């Protein structure tokens, strides 16, 4: 273990309280990265000494305005005029209002683009008596360069004291983020990848999460911090290695940001260290696979896989964990089924195993299944979920090398070897690749707000399919996706689930870009570089869901595999 950096940081709110008392000012207004309880407590402490204070949220300020200052039930109509800025996307500040459209109920809501200029929303509220009022809602932002030198427009703190002060306030939240980046980017990592085994960032924050009454939505400063640090550092090491930011072939090592919650008045704390790779295995009680309400344990994955007749084969991960697969020979056209490429996408593993179990009972079934392609990421996900079960945990998305296993082309292939062997043994021309994505909004609060390169993945938009095919397999691809969507389109709960999520997404983020086929959203792409001619990818919003929502997710994933397998057998001909 090597300690890189350790420090504590004074809280912004106590500092503001002390400064206001010292200056004996009459009014204070500030925007900070704190939960509502902390901000209200700070206001009360100043009220005790005769100072009128209002502490607002610097994170998603328009949404907090409606949550904290407006009784929506008294309104008949709302118009929000959102700001724009030339250094960020046209609808960036519209995106930040998410998921307001789901909170207003029957109240009419309209969004309008404002002029480029000040970082201020205008909210025009019309009550049920027809009386209108106009409110200016400051959205403090700063224009800056990120760790890779790209221009970003990011939320920041702000302070107003009477008529004397109206300026940016660098908050504790921003200070911890910048200190972490500074400590890591100034360290001598050498020139050889991977630069470390595990780079661990342990951060103590006092802000509690706020669940919203909309699906899996949550306001979480803790999750925002770990997501922003993870991708900011991944981008930094991508550039350091000579690649461009967003090139996920880089192998820096495993980056692990972890959040712990501190008491309200405790300082923010940061510890950055390099650790050895963990190689243990999480335990968990076995579940009835058809009714599983949470991710199943690695031991159960192995047991379920072993119950499927066929040839066993394996590969190994960077940490030495085993990737297990099984080849079930038969007379049908062969299909390759995989899941767990991104182990924070939790429903595909269960769905793949459920479907394979059913297929294996058929006399002519012919398939190969690799239900957990990234066991290192799966173990990290279990470790992180134990503390923060509802975070996206994208730190577990990639391998212990920090790369995207599907993009790996140089030896040693490690996890990627399971795919090559599955394709070699089976000769499959159809790969069913089960995935998931964000079950609630995904943000990067301090480096541009929207996740760079994943802007269209920033909020859930229902279950959808991605068909990637070779050019000479176009007819087969069209026939296959037509038959699969026809079957899935007969699931009323899924259609309604999609309708609700897509409607909310489009109100805040714009068009999804989907092609609707038999009522199922689809993306169809041609790529002759794929190793198999047909790849059909499922995407269910499952980071991270439990209980009935988890069961519903793997029900859909199971049905996807079965419908695709059967449709593939029915194709008239293949090239």
């Amino acid at each position: 273990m090597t300690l890189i950096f350790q420090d504590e940081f004074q809280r912004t709110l106590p500092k503001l309280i002390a400064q206001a008392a010292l200056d004996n000012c009459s009014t204070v207004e500030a925007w900070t990265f704190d939960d509502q309880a902390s901000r209200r407590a700070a206001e009360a402490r100043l009220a005790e000494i005769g100072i009128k204070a209002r502490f607002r949220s610097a994170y998603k300020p328009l949404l907090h305005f409606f949550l904290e200052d407006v009784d929506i039930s008294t309104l008949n109509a709302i118009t929000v005029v959102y700001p724009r800025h030339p250094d960020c996307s046209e609808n960036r500040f519209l995106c930040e209002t998410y998921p307001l459209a789901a909170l207003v109920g029957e109240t009419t809501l309209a969004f309008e683009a404002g002029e480029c200029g000040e970082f201020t929303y205008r909210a025009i509220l019309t009550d049920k008596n027809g009386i209108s009022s106009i409110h200016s809602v400051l959205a403090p932002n700063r224009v800056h360069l990120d760790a890779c030198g790209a221009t970003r427009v990011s939320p920041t703190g702000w302070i107003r004291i009477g008529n004397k002060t109206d300026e940016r306030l660098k908050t504790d939240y921003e200070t911890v983020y910048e200190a972490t980046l500074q400590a890591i980017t100034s360290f001598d990592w050498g020139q050889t990848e991977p630069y470390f085994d595990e780079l661990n960032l342990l951060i103590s924050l006092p802000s509690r999460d706020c669940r919203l009454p909309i699906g899996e939505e949550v306001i979480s400063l803790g999750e925002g911090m770990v997501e922003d640090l993870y991708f900011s550092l991944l981008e930094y090491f991508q550039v350091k290695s000579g690649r461009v930011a967003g090139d996920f072939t880089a192998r820096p090592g495993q980056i692990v940001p972890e959040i712990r919650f501190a008491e309200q008045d405790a300082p923010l704390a940061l510890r950055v260290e390099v650790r050895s790779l963990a190689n243990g295995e999480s335990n968990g009680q076995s579940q009835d696979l058809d009714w599983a309400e949470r991710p199943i344990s690695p031991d159960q994955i192995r047991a379920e896989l072993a119950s499927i007749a066929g040839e066993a084969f394996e590969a190994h991960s960077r940490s030495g964990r085993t990737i297990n697969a099984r080849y079930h020979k038969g007379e049908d056209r062969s299909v390759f089924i995989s899941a767990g490429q991104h182990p924070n996408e939790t429903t595909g593993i269960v769905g793949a195993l459920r479907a394979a179990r059913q297929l294996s009972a058929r006399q002519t079934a012919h398939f190969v299944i690799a239900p957990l392609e990234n066991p290192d990421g799966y173990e990290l996900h279990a470790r992180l979920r134990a503390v923060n079960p509802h975070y996206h945990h994208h730190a577990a998305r990639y391998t212990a090398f920090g790369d995207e296993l599907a993009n790996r082309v140089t030896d040693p292939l490690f996890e990627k070897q399971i795919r090559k062997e599955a394709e070699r043994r089976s000769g499959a021309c159809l790969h069913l690749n089960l995935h998931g994505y964000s079950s609630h909004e995904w943000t990067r609060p301090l480096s541009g707000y929207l996740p760079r390169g994943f802007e269209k993945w920033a909020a859930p938009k229902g279950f959808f399919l991605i068909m990637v095919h070779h050019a000479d397999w176009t007819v087969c691809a069209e026939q296959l996706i037509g038959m699969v969507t026809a079957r899935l389109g007969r699931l009323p709960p899924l259609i309604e689930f999609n309708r609700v999520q897509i409607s909310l997404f489009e109100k805040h983020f714009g068009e999804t870009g989907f092609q609707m086929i038999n009522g199922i959203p689809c993306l169809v792409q041609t790529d002759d570089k794929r190793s198999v001619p047909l790849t059909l990818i499922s995407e269910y919003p499952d980071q991270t869901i439990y209980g009935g929502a988890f069961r519903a997710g793997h029900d859909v994933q199971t049905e996807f595999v079965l419908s695709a397998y059967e449709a593939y057998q029915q194709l008239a001909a293949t090239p």
Side-chain angles (χ1 to χ4, degrees), residues 126-350:
T126 303
D127 67 19
K128 292 180 178 178
N129 295 317
I131 300 173
S132 295
S133 57
I134 301 176
H135 305 261
S136 293
V137 180
L138 182 67
N141 271 251
R142 67 186 182 107
V143 181
H144 64 105
L145 299 180
D146 67 13
C148 298
T151 300
R152 296 282 174 251
V153 180
S154 303
T156 188
W158 202 265
I159 186 166
R160 289 172 174 168
I161 302 175
N163 295 321
K164 298 184 301 179
T165 304
D166 190 3
E167 63 189 17
R168 183 198 171 202
L169 170 69
K170 185 176 179 181
T171 63
D172 47 10
Y173 189 80
E174 298 166 90
T175 300
V176 169
Y177 172 80
E178 292 179 5
T180 307
L181 293 184
Q182 175 61 28
I184 293 170
T185 58
S186 62
F187 189 80
D188 183 5
W189 297 104
Q191 300 300 318
T192 305
E193 294 182 303
Y195 305 113
F196 43 80
D197 284 346
E198 176 186 318
L199 177 59
N200 185 269
L201 326 172
L202 185 60
I203 303 163
S204 176
L205 285 179
S207 295
R208 297 303 194 264
D209 296 347
C210 174
R211 293 298 297 267
L212 298 175
I214 302 153
E216 305 296 323
E217 293 303 331
V218 61
I219 296 173
S220 176
L221 291 163
E223 181 175 40
M225 175 68 78
V226 297
E227 289 293 317
D228 214 339
L229 281 172
Y230 177 72
F231 281 99
S232 293
L233 290 171
L234 202 55
E235 289 164 355
Y236 165 73
F237 283 112
Q238 288 165 349
V239 172
K240 173 179 167 52
S241 69
R243 301 170 176 88
V244 298
D247 183 340
F248 294 101
T249 63
R251 296 186 180 187
Q254 194 168 50
I255 303 170
V256 184
E258 299 189 66
I259 287 289
R260 297 293 185 271
F261 290 100
E263 294 303 317
Q264 194 174 85
D265 290 328
L268 275 67
L270 168 65
R271 181 180 176 89
V272 181
E273 62 188 18
V274 172
R275 301 178 180 177
S276 299
L277 277 179
N279 55 15
E281 184 171 283
S282 56
N283 298 314
Q285 186 175 2
S286 183
Q287 305 175 67
D288 182 328
L289 196 64
D290 291 342
W291 297 93
E293 295 191 339
R294 62 189 181 279
I296 60 177
S297 69
D299 187 58
Q300 182 173 357
I301 293 173
R302 285 192 295 270
E304 298 286 353
L305 188 61
S307 71
I308 297 171
E311 300 173 0
F313 60 101
E314 63 186 40
H316 295 88
S317 70
R318 182 192 181 198
S319 73
R321 294 188 176 94
T322 302
I323 301 100
N324 296 290
R326 215 155 190 90
Y327 177 36
H328 183 94
K329 292 182 180 180
E331 298 172 7
D332 288 349
R333 290 173 177 154
S334 180
V335 175
F336 174 27
I337 306 164
S338 71
Q341 173 184 330
H342 302 147
N344 62 324
E345 300 165 6
T346 53
T347 59
I349 293 168
V350 177

Side-chain angles (χ1 to χ4, degrees), residues 443-461:
T443 70
R444 291 181 58 177
L446 301 176
S447 59
Y449 186 82
L450 291 172
R452 177 179 180 178
F454 297 93
E455 291 85 355
K456 282 292 186 180
W457 298 83
K461 48 187 176 179

Side-chain angles (χ1 to χ4, degrees), residues 323-554:
I323 301 100
N324 296 290
R326 215 155 190 90
Y327 177 36
H328 183 94
K329 292 182 180 180
E331 298 172 7
D332 288 349
R333 290 173 177 154
S334 180
V335 175
F336 174 27
I337 306 164
S338 71
Q341 173 184 330
H342 302 147
N344 62 324
E345 300 165 6
T346 53
T347 59
I349 293 168
V350 177
L353 286 167
R354 286 180 59 189
R357 188 173 61 184
Q358 293 186 47
L359 290 174
S360 66
R362 302 179 184 183
Q363 188 173 3
T364 58
H366 189 187
F367 65 91
V368 60
I369 177 173
L372 177 55
E373 293 188 294
N374 182 358
D376 290 349
Y378 200 64
E379 282 303 326
L380 177 58
H381 189 234
R383 169 180 148 194
L384 296 175
R385 279 193 299 112
V387 179
N388 294 301
H390 295 283
Y391 284 11
H392 289 119
H393 296 309
H394 283 112
R397 174 184 172 91
Y398 302 113
T399 73
F401 278 114
D403 68 341
E404 170 61 85
L405 75 84
N407 295 347
R408 192 177 293 165
V409 294
T410 58
D411 289 327
L413 291 177
F414 287 103
E415 296 93 342
K416 181 69 174 291
Q417 188 62 42
I418 206 74
R419 290 195 178 184
K420 294 180 72 68
E421 183 63 14
E423 293 166 11
R424 186 192 70 79
R425 288 181 183 237
S426 68
C429 290
L430 171 62
H431 180 189
L432 302 179
N433 192 356
L434 281 65
H435 279 261
Y437 69 106
S438 303
S439 66
H440 58 274
E441 189 185 17
W442 167 20
T443 70
R444 291 181 58 177
L446 301 176
S447 59
Y449 186 82
L450 291 172
R452 177 179 180 178
F454 297 93
E455 291 85 355
K456 282 292 186 180
W457 298 83
K461 48 187 176 179
F463 171 78
F464 60 96
L465 301 178
I466 302 174
M467 168 61 82
V468 186
H469 62 88
H470 290 181
D472 57 350
W473 282 68
T474 298
V475 173
C476 288
E478 292 173 349
Q479 292 175 347
L480 181 66
I481 202 164
M483 287 188 283
V484 172
T485 54
R487 178 164 163 177
L488 294 174
R490 292 194 292 268
L491 302 175
L494 176 60
I495 298 303
E496 176 61 15
F497 177 79
N498 278 356
R499 185 194 67 78
V500 171
Q501 289 205 344
I502 291 172
S503 175
L504 180 58
F505 181 93
E506 290 183 335
K507 288 172 183 174
H508 290 275
F509 292 88
E511 294 183 359
T512 62
F514 290 140
Q515 174 186 358
M516 299 301 290
I517 304 176
N518 295 316
I520 301 296
C522 300
L523 298 172
V524 181
Q525 304 166 352
T526 302
D527 183 356
D528 286 322
K529 295 180 181 179
R530 292 267 177 163
S531 57
V532 294
L534 295 174
T535 300
L536 189 52
I537 301 167
S538 64
E539 293 284 359
Y540 194 91
D542 62 1
Q543 301 170 0
T544 301
I545 56 176
Y546 301 93
F550 186 77
R551 290 198 308 272
H554 62 75

